[in-house]
Amino acid sequence: MLGKTVIVTGANSGIGRATVAAIVKLQGRVIMACRDQARAEEAARDILQETGGAESRQLVVKQLDLASLESVRTFCEGILKEEPRLDVLINNAGVYQCPYTRTEDGFEMQFGVNHLGHFLLTHLLLDLLKRSAPSRIVVVSSKLYKHGEINFEDLNSEQFYDKAFAYSRSKLANLLFTCELARRLEGSGVTVNALTPGIVRTNLGRHVHIPLLAKPLFNLLSWGLFKSPEEGAQTSVYLASSPDVDGVQGKCFADCKPQDLLEKATNQEVASKLWDISEVMVGITV
């Protein structure tokens, strides 16, 4: 990854942090796009220490709050002004099963951050990615997409909210976005692929309630059954860096291997409609 610049969203903890560390080890330069600047700067210092004191200019911390379209636009303005090229965009950040809350712009939080924030981010950085081609976009989804449905009558969960269902819907939206973006990028030199990392020990599950008495058993089981963040990040790093996926377009990977998806995640008609509605929601078209 020497000479390459990579943006990772949600880069200060969990899979995102492990992805950054792996890319730094491969000599890539990483822009850590994070909501909490202080925590991100602390993570950056730790990563540089862990990776053998690599040069500090290999890591840049930038503030990005995906729950604010204004923050996404400000972040992208800065990138376009300061960065001559962008080789890889990794849409990694995610909110998981939070109580019903809304983003700054009034969207249901999980759909707003996991799908719409990344949708606008990718749109605004696309020209830079095209100028830097061959370049790559990597979208982190989840196998839980299987439990999601796209209900165009209630994308904002105003009629009905179930936090697990809303998460699954946002991850299904990630795959439909990958599907439609791949179609639009054909022949551009920019590829987009998605991945499902599996169950990983991260703080993503902070909103999931586990009874106090069951916590010790749950923690013990999680060490035995869940992946470490480093294991969870392997497919992200593979899709960002491996020559094996040069030119591969619109696929979904797990454990560095292509996966077959359910038809609802590759339905071109739904993908196209979701794209059009997402453009209106984030203010790209009226």
Side-chain angles (χ1 to χ4, degrees), residues 8-284:
V8 181
T9 67
N12 61 293
S13 65
I15 294 173
R17 186 190 183 286
T19 302
V20 173
I23 290 168
V24 168
K25 281 178 188 162
L26 294 170
Q27 297 182 291
R29 175 173 170 268
V30 184
I31 297 167
M32 298 172 68
C34 303
R35 190 168 48 93
D36 188 325
Q37 184 108 11
R39 281 180 60 202
E41 281 166 4
E42 187 186 339
R45 284 193 294 274
D46 291 347
I47 288 165
L48 288 172
Q49 219 167 0
E50 286 163 27
T51 51
E55 294 177 46
S56 58
R57 66 169 179 263
Q58 263 188 285
L59 273 186
V60 179
V61 172
K62 294 257 180 212
Q63 211 272 333
L64 170 66
D65 182 0
L66 288 156
S68 158
L69 297 181
E70 187 186 356
S71 174
V72 174
R73 288 195 176 93
T74 303
F75 171 84
C76 291
E77 277 166 23
I79 293 295
L80 297 177
K81 209 177 285 178
E82 295 159 23
E83 298 297 330
R85 62 178 299 111
L86 175 59
D87 299 277
V88 187
L89 170 63
I90 302 179
N91 290 338
N92 163 83
V95 183
Y96 178 70
Q97 291 198 15
C98 58
Y100 188 82
T101 38
R102 292 186 179 217
T103 69
E104 189 180 279
D105 306 278
F107 305 125
E108 184 276 311
M109 186 62 73
Q110 296 187 82
F111 191 75
V113 169
N114 300 356
H115 171 60
L116 292 172
H118 281 122
F119 180 88
L120 180 62
L121 178 76
T122 307
H123 169 78
L124 294 174
L125 296 176
L126 213 45
D127 282 346
L128 182 58
L129 283 156
K130 285 176 180 173
R131 290 199 300 274
S132 311
S135 54
R136 301 176 181 188
I137 299 164
V138 178
V139 178
V140 180
S141 182
S142 162
K143 284 196 171 114
L144 292 172
Y145 85 86
K146 293 173 182 177
H147 306 293
E149 298 296 336
I150 302 293
N151 175 5
F152 287 112
E153 305 308 309
D154 191 27
L155 280 179
N156 225 11
S157 302
E158 282 157 347
Q159 296 163 29
F160 165 78
Y161 182 71
D162 174 280
K163 61 186 184 179
F165 173 79
Y167 178 75
S168 295
R169 173 161 62 194
S170 73
K171 294 288 114 180
L172 175 58
N174 290 158
L175 294 173
L176 289 163
F177 165 69
T178 302
C179 173
E180 176 64 11
L181 183 58
R183 189 181 70 77
R184 289 166 179 254
L185 288 175
E186 215 51 76
S188 67
V190 185
T191 60
V192 58
N193 291 288
L195 68 113
T196 59
I199 305 176
V200 183
R201 288 191 305 276
T202 69
N203 63 359
L204 192 66
R206 61 187 173 276
H207 295 297
V208 179
H209 177 69
I210 295 155
L212 200 60
L213 290 172
K215 267 199 171 148
L217 179 62
F218 176 81
N219 291 340
L220 193 66
L221 282 172
S222 75
W223 279 100
L225 301 175
F226 297 179
K227 291 179 176 178
S228 67
E230 289 70 30
E231 289 165 333
Q234 274 176 349
T235 309
S236 295
V237 177
Y238 172 77
L239 290 176
S241 64
S242 174
D244 295 354
V245 286
D246 279 346
V248 174
Q249 187 69 286
K251 301 277 184 238
C252 182
F253 287 74
D255 299 319
C256 303
K257 293 181 185 72
Q259 301 295 298
D260 290 327
L261 293 171
L262 297 179
E263 195 272 336
K264 67 179 171 182
T266 57
N267 184 312
Q268 200 62 65
E269 201 181 316
V270 176
S272 179
K273 186 175 177 182
L274 179 63
W275 183 284
D276 292 344
I277 289 172
S278 300
E279 281 191 340
V280 174
M281 288 175 93
V282 303
I284 294 168

